[in-house]
Amino acid sequence: MNATLTLNNGVEMPSLGFGVFQIPSEQTELAVETALATGYRLIDTAASYFNEHEVGAAIRRSGIQRSDVFIETKVWISDYGYDQTLHACEKSTRKLGIDRLDLLILHQPLPSQFDLTIDAYRALETLLADGRVRAIGVSNFMPEHLKRLLAATTVLPVVNQIELHPYFSQPELQGLDAAHGIVTQAWSPLGGITFYRAGQGGSTFEDATIAEIAQRHGKTPPQVMLRWHLQQGRSAIPKSTKPECIAENFDVFDFELSEAELARIDGLNKGVRRGPEPAEITMESTGARKIPEA
């Protein structure tokens, strides 16, 4: 049974979700169907993943009531700006085949053109007020981006989705999120990015501390890492196309880590980002990826 988090606007969101980043469109529908059959009720996608059509098809094929599935997607930076972001929501909902999103977030800050970021977020505020979305948030916003956003807008983000795993836990940013009642949501929650990019400090999957804790509980390292996230009040969105891994990642509600074990995992933080540096995102370097119409 999936646990839930109450967002700062009162909306309930499952704490453990299923992500579809880099899952090819031809594999997405089956993967999401498998996740839903396993018990996941939060599905995280994005316009720039180019698989929203397939996510929507899987949800419809599952036979699960729409109201029982929490759908989260993201606006890509090439669609930033007030009117452009309003249209981006329309594109995403059409591709997903739904009338209203549960959570719509900005995919990245755009530091060199932060006025576009602000305009995009103000569009999210409008969509929220109009009932087109149930909640709004951000992704990859560092403290300086979050502070600038909060100073210029009126609705608090409910979520800040960031790279977060035992080797890169961003405690300062987590603290800032918590101070504002913003849920920290972990992408690459298992540290998958630590073995996609070899030679940068080892893989979380091979960490001796995590392996020892897993053995003590009769669980696997991925299950221990997900439990670490959930017990500390975060949302996590692991992804896989393998049915056995999808099931393994959901089987994390029947054990509990001790405070000492949580602290040991906290202590693994190396402070080394493996994903893109948010401060370096520009329209020129990254934004050329255009999002097609529905």
Side-chain angles (χ1 to χ4, degrees):
M1 184 67 179
N2 202 342
T4 62
L5 293 164
T6 302
L7 304 176
N8 61 32
N9 66 347
V11 169
E12 293 283 321
M13 180 182 79
S15 55
L16 182 62
F18 183 73
V20 297
F21 175 58
Q22 289 187 333
I23 297 183
S25 57
E26 64 273 14
Q27 297 179 34
T28 299
E29 191 169 341
L30 179 58
V32 173
E33 280 192 70
T34 302
L36 291 168
T38 300
Y40 294 85
R41 291 297 180 267
L42 163 61
I43 307 297
D44 172 81
T45 183
S48 67
Y49 298 170
F50 304 109
N51 55 19
E52 289 173 311
H53 276 297
E54 291 75 17
V55 167
I59 292 169
R60 289 189 295 276
R61 283 170 56 93
S62 73
I64 297 168
Q65 291 285 332
R66 166 68 188 94
S67 59
D68 291 334
V69 182
F70 193 100
I71 303 175
E72 172 179 0
T73 194
K74 309 174 192 73
V75 180
W76 185 240
I77 60 175
S78 59
D79 280 336
Y80 281 12
Y82 185 81
D83 291 335
Q84 298 94 316
T85 298
L86 293 178
H87 185 56
C89 177
E90 186 177 336
K91 288 192 288 188
S92 285
T93 52
R94 284 182 177 178
K95 289 172 187 174
L96 288 160
I98 59 177
D99 295 324
R100 183 167 70 153
L101 284 161
D102 296 294
L103 176 57
L104 182 60
I105 66 181
L106 300 185
H107 205 141
Q108 298 273 0
L110 192 55
S112 61
Q113 296 171 273
F114 207 73
D115 56 327
L116 285 179
T117 307
I118 296 297
D119 286 344
Y121 193 81
R122 286 178 175 151
L124 298 193
E125 292 179 321
T126 296
L127 291 163
L128 180 67
D130 290 347
R132 296 289 308 280
V133 301
R134 297 175 64 216
I136 60 176
V138 295
S139 180
N140 299 304
F141 273 54
M142 297 301 101
E144 62 272 22
H145 309 131
L146 198 55
K147 290 172 185 175
R148 290 178 69 184
L149 182 80
L150 297 180
T153 57
T154 56
V155 178
L156 276 173
V158 299
V159 157
N160 187 11
Q161 185 187 115
I162 59 173
E163 178 186 347
L164 204 165
H165 47 78
Y167 283 2
F168 189 61
S169 54
Q170 305 202 69
E172 178 194 355
L173 182 51
Q174 286 197 65
L176 183 61
D177 286 345
H180 291 284
I182 299 169
V183 168
T184 298
Q185 186 175 63
W187 66 257
S188 196
L190 305 177
I193 200 165
T194 64
F195 61 81
Y196 301 152
R197 301 187 176 189
Q200 296 189 44
S203 166
T204 53
F205 279 59
E206 297 169 357
D207 186 89
T209 296
I210 295 171
E212 178 195 327
I213 294 170
Q215 185 174 23
R216 185 180 303 130
H217 288 276
K219 290 291 185 176
T220 64
Q223 289 171 327
V224 164
M225 287 186 273
L226 289 171
R227 190 69 206 171
W228 169 69
H229 286 294
L230 300 183
Q231 279 188 226
Q232 294 186 329
R234 292 186 292 276
S235 172
I237 46 170
K239 69 113 183 202
S240 180
T241 57
K242 299 176 181 177
E244 63 274 18
C245 292
I246 292 172
E248 175 187 329
N249 290 343
F250 196 74
D251 185 20
V252 295
F253 298 102
D254 61 350
F255 75 108
E256 191 163 314
L257 301 175
S258 69
E259 290 299 319
E261 289 170 332
L262 292 172
R264 289 182 69 195
I265 299 172
D266 286 342
L268 298 175
N269 181 33
K270 299 175 184 287
V272 177
R273 186 187 305 280
R274 299 298 182 88
E277 176 56 61
E280 296 173 2
I281 297 294
T282 66
M283 197 72 80
E284 293 73 27
S285 66
T286 315
R289 188 185 308 160
K290 299 300 181 185
I291 305 303
E293 295 296 321

